[in-house]
């Protein structure tokens, strides 16, 4: 059993912390206020190799592992949760399935520029009438010679307005009444590819999401990801990795809120002493510290399993479930420690409180994580 990070992992984490504190954190409040896409931060993350961290260097990535990815994700998200999810989507929801299921041409032509951050990728599973029950999607891809014609729509697509490619899951047959899904890599800008204005959200405002419509979009055979009919399994396997990224995002948000609460509790005087002397505050600090550590241990275990190449569906779901709910609880308590100052926007506690909430929803709600965990526990 090894709880220490290696020297290499510590270096990666410390460099990410330094970068995030110097180049991301000073902009986070403004990005949130104006719901402004953080183009400079994305460009810097690309330079640093953060957009394809676990992808081999041969394909434009940083050639590191998923634990390194988890460490950097936490640091980036601690500074700005919007930047965190942009990083997570590109790494886990786009580059990872391209690396795992893509052919040589896709790895060379699409993965390489995306892992190096020259372009971004997105993931299109959710539809207006199917979120948690993902198999009931309506988007269809009909055979057209050796390719497909795609019709339908995908919504809440994080990075959708900016991404060059989106992995779209579509129904390709309904043999015996059972829908078969297929994954296609669809390039923006072709006829019939329509992008809505970005969503107005309560949190992670700088990470734009949108709805994308496909009206008779022609997808060539070279853009088929994996095999016809394997799409749902590709989506689920991809989310096993994605959920680690969101657990890290939740950790980063919670840590930012917690650290502010600790600092504030030492400064703020009440009843003749800093409020940190009060047991009511100490109990909150103790609960937050414990929950943060528990979430990090679950998350690092899931990343470690992914690095070992072992199936980690339940462990990722546990990490995401616990870290997301922990993040909401910690943001709530940290705001409470600040009293009235937590409620005014000057201290930025509202941003952590709003940002934390999405982690319980996207890449599978907490209820879906419980389903995945229960399935595994019950066999
Ligand atoms: N890896 C590989 N295969 C898997 C798998 C996994 N993790 N999970 C399931 N499968 C396989 C199953 O073995 C099964 O295969 P067979 O048909 O051969 O038996 C098949 O997939 C279907 O599995 P289920 O019967 O379990 O499927 P289900 O319809 O009951 O759904 C679910 C399961 C867990 C509820 C799933 O629908 C789910 O995860 N829903 C949530 C969707 C989600 O997370 N959406 C997030 C969108 S992305 C997003 O939010 C991005 C963003 O913007 C940041």
């Amino acid at each position: 059993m090894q709880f220490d990070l290696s020297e290499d992992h510590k270096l990666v984490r410390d460099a990410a912390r330094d970068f995030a504190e110097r180049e991301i954190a000073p902009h986070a409040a403004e990005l949130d206020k104006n719901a402004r896409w953080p183009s400079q931060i994305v460009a810097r993350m690309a330079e640093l190799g953060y957009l394809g961290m676990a992808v081999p260097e041969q394909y434009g990535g940083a050639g590191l592992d998923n634990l390194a990815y988890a460490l950097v994700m936490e640091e980036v998200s601690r500074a700005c949760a919007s930047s965190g999810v942009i990083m997570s989507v590109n790494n886990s929801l786009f580059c990872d399935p391209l690396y795992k299921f893509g052919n040589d041409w896709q790895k060379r032509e699409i993965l390489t520029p995306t892992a190096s951050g020259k372009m971004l990728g997105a993931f299109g599973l959710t539809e207006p009438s199917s979120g948690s029950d993902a198999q009931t999607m309506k988007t269809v891809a009909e055979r057209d010679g050796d390719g497909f014609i795609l019709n339908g729509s995908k919504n809440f697509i994080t990075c959708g307005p900016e991404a060059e490619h989106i992995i779209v899951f579509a129904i390709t047959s309904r043999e015996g009444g059972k829908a078969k899904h297929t994954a296609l890599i669809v390039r923006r800008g072709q006829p019939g590819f329509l992008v809505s204005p970005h969503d107005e959200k309560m949190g992670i405002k700088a990470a734009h999401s949108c709805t994308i419509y496909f009206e008779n979009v022609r997808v060539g055979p070279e853009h088929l990801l994996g095999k016809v009919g394997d799409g749902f399994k590709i989506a689920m396997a991809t989310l096993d990795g994605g959920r680690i990224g969101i657990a890290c995002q939740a950790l980063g948000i919670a840590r930012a809120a917690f650290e502010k609460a600790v600092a504030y509790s030492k400064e703020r005087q009440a009843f003749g002493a800093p409020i940190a002397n009060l047991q009511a505050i100490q109990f909150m600090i103790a609960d937050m510290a414990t929950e943060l550590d528990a979430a990090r241990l679950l998350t690092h275990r899931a990343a470690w399993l992914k690095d070992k190449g072992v199936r980690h569906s339940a462990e990722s779901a546990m990490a995401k479930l616990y870290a997301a709910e922990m993040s909401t609880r910690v943001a709530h308590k940290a705001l409470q420690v600040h009293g009235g100052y937590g409620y005014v926007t000057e201290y930025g506690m509202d941003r952590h409180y709003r940002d934390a909430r999405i982690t319980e929803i996207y890449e599978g709600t907490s209820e879906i994580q419980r389903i995945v965990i229960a399935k595994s526990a019950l066999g």
Side-chain angles (χ1 to χ4, degrees):
M1 196 78 149
Q2 171 68 278
F3 286 102
D4 261 356
L5 291 176
S6 70
E7 287 309 310
D8 285 351
H9 281 121
K10 281 185 198 158
L11 280 175
V12 168
R13 181 200 58 195
D14 294 349
R17 186 172 299 170
D18 185 53
F19 160 69
E21 282 177 356
R22 277 188 301 105
E23 299 190 43
I24 303 182
H27 307 287
E30 182 274 319
L31 291 168
D32 172 64
K33 190 168 181 213
N34 297 318
R36 183 169 68 80
W37 174 260
S39 38
Q40 276 170 321
I41 292 171
V42 175
R44 283 290 289 136
M45 291 201 293
E47 276 172 23
L48 293 167
Y50 291 173
L51 295 182
M53 287 203 66
V55 174
E57 289 172 82
Q58 170 193 8
Y59 297 119
L64 297 171
D65 59 13
N66 285 287
L67 183 54
Y69 165 61
L71 296 167
V72 176
M73 264 300 297
E74 181 181 332
E75 297 304 328
V76 168
S77 303
R78 170 178 170 249
C80 168
S82 293
S83 302
V85 72
I86 294 166
M87 177 179 164
S88 173
V89 166
N90 208 65
N91 276 274
S92 322
L93 296 189
F94 193 86
C95 291
D96 192 50
L98 257 281
Y99 180 58
K100 228 184 265 159
F101 304 104
N103 59 33
D104 286 347
W105 180 85
Q106 292 164 348
K107 285 183 183 159
R108 206 175 52 245
E109 299 297 322
I110 303 175
L111 175 59
T112 302
T114 313
S116 64
K118 289 192 180 70
M119 49 175 74
L120 294 179
F123 182 82
L125 179 66
T126 302
E127 299 189 1
S129 61
S130 64
S132 292
D133 189 4
Q135 288 211 57
T136 58
M137 65 180 69
K138 294 200 172 81
T139 295
V140 290
E142 283 174 290
R143 273 287 183 191
D144 176 53
D146 55 358
F148 301 87
I149 296 288
L150 185 65
N151 277 290
S153 64
K154 298 286 172 182
N155 69 340
F156 305 141
I157 305 305
T158 306
C159 301
E162 318 290 334
E164 190 62 26
H165 293 97
I166 169 170
I167 299 176
V168 177
F169 298 90
I171 292 176
T172 39
S173 80
R174 291 186 190 274
E175 275 162 40
K178 189 167 172 6
K180 289 265 184 204
H181 309 83
T182 296
L184 302 168
I185 311 162
V186 185
R187 187 160 199 163
R188 72 179 297 118
Q190 41 186 322
F193 186 102
L194 309 168
V195 181
S196 76
H198 71 78
D199 303 319
E200 305 269 344
K201 302 187 298 254
M202 80 179 242
I204 56 157
K205 292 182 179 198
H208 294 169
S209 64
C210 67
T211 302
I212 301 184
Y213 303 90
F214 310 99
E215 291 179 6
N216 294 316
V217 173
R218 159 95 192 155
V219 182
E222 70 283 8
H223 285 95
L224 167 67
L225 181 64
K227 292 196 195 114
V228 170
D230 278 356
F232 194 71
K233 288 179 188 172
I234 292 175
M236 292 297 109
T238 299
L239 285 165
D240 287 345
R243 289 167 184 166
I244 299 174
I246 301 308
C248 297
Q249 187 199 25
L251 267 170
I253 296 166
R255 207 174 105 222
F258 169 71
E259 288 170 352
K260 284 185 189 170
V262 167
Y264 184 82
S265 71
K266 290 184 191 167
E267 279 166 22
R268 175 72 178 177
Q269 302 278 322
F271 308 105
I275 60 170
N277 287 11
L278 302 171
Q279 213 174 43
I281 300 294
Q282 289 173 1
F283 283 5
M284 284 197 261
I285 300 282
D287 287 346
M288 289 190 269
T290 306
E291 289 208 68
L292 263 162
D293 257 23
R296 188 175 296 107
L297 288 169
L298 282 172
T299 305
H300 288 189
R301 178 184 65 168
W304 174 75
L305 285 172
K306 186 163 194 273
D307 281 328
K308 280 175 64 135
V310 175
R311 180 148 172 190
H312 50 93
S313 310
E315 290 82 0
S316 290
M318 285 179 191
K320 201 259 187 194
L321 168 66
Y322 190 77
E325 295 193 346
M326 173 282 296
S327 198
T328 300
R329 282 193 294 271
V330 166
H332 178 95
K333 286 196 177 107
L335 193 152
Q336 190 72 12
V337 168
H338 284 77
Y341 290 104
Y343 201 70
V344 294
T345 57
E346 188 191 335
Y347 281 70
M349 297 309 293
D350 65 307
R351 175 164 61 89
H352 305 311
Y353 193 77
R354 289 182 282 104
D355 286 348
R357 200 61 184 80
I358 187 60
T359 65
E360 289 186 64
I361 296 170
Y362 60 15
E363 299 204 28
T365 59
S366 288
E367 293 68 31
I368 289 296
Q369 309 311 322
R370 288 186 169 89
I371 287 173
V372 173
I373 298 162
K375 261 189 193 167
S376 160
L378 294 168

